[in-house]
Amino acid sequence: AQSVTQPDIHITVSEGASLELRCNYSYGATPYLFWYVQSPGQGLQLLLKYFSGDTLVQGIKGFEAEFKRSQSSFNLRKPSVHWSDAAEYFCAEGYNFNKFYFGSGTKLNVKP
Amino acid sequence: GAGVSQSPRYKVAKRGQDVALRCDPISGHVSLFWYQQALGQGPEFLTYFQNEAQLDKSGLPSDRFFAERPEGSVSTLKIQRTQQEDSAVYLCASSLPGTSGNTDTQYFGPGTRLTVL
């Protein structure tokens, strides 16, 4: 069965430090991969997506993600975290006409 | 432009009551999705419409859950005889369809938080 794994439930980083959130997918030679962010009481906002092509994808708010087929990973990175980045981050894989499978999320805390 | 909207934003129901949750997708978006997000979890797929056709309802947890999109725009998720385990945030998303076999970006509404007492 398809699954998306986010191994880290909580991560705390200091403001200005770099960030990497891990995501592993389980299905597909050509996966469709997404990162969304969810602030409290808000819906999911798309940060970036990977369909094909360049394996390093740039998104909004200074985020990027790298697709590594050999590791079945699609990790999200940001070189310098801002306090406003504190939120929950979800990785998702799209499958079979738009059915999305989400990971269980990683909550990011940012220390001043 | 306007995004996906959902109403109500919060709903409290007594166990056994019926509820109806509404979703207004982005104008022109053909595809519409419902997800259930339990506390501390990622969203889980419930059902999917393309226009008015419900193409996949494999994620609906029981026959108490019913979704419709009669005119291919607004959708309603109905839960009959609510149970405490139905308490969750219900998210709606819409998208333009990708080419055959492909996946396109889904845009999410703010969700409806359902609490069943």
Side-chain angles (χ1 to χ4, degrees), chain A residues 32 34 36 38 41-46 49 51 88 90 93-105 107, chain B residues 9 31 33 35 37 40-43 45 48 56 58 91 95 97-98 100-110:
Chain A
Y32 300 95
F34 304 80
Y36 285 86
Q38 187 176 39
Q42 303 297 313
L44 296 163
Q45 181 184 19
L46 178 71
K49 61 186 178 184
F51 283 5
E88 190 159 19
F90 291 93
E93 181 177 6
Y95 165 73
N96 193 21
F97 287 95
N98 297 313
K99 193 169 187 174
F100 275 26
Y101 291 90
F102 283 85
S104 54
K107 288 186 179 176
Chain B
R9 291 292 311 275
S31 302
F33 310 82
Y35 292 84
Q37 185 176 19
Q41 300 296 317
F45 172 84
Y48 157 53
D56 187 338
S58 61
L91 295 168
S95 76
S100 177
N102 286 348
T103 293
D104 207 343
T105 302
Q106 295 184 19
Y107 297 91
F108 284 81

Side-chain angles (χ1 to χ4, degrees), chain A residues 37-80:
Chain A
V37 60
Q38 187 176 39
S39 298
Q42 303 297 313
L44 296 163
Q45 181 184 19
L46 178 71
L47 287 175
L48 47 78
K49 61 186 178 184
Y50 172 78
F51 283 5
S52 64
D54 193 345
T55 57
L56 186 62
V57 179
Q58 302 298 320
I60 63 171
K61 304 184 179 185
F63 285 93
E64 66 178 25
E66 186 171 12
F67 170 65
K68 292 186 177 179
R69 187 187 304 278
S70 62
Q71 298 177 19
S72 297
S73 70
F74 188 57
N75 294 350
L76 182 71
R77 301 195 295 244
K78 186 169 184 178
S80 178

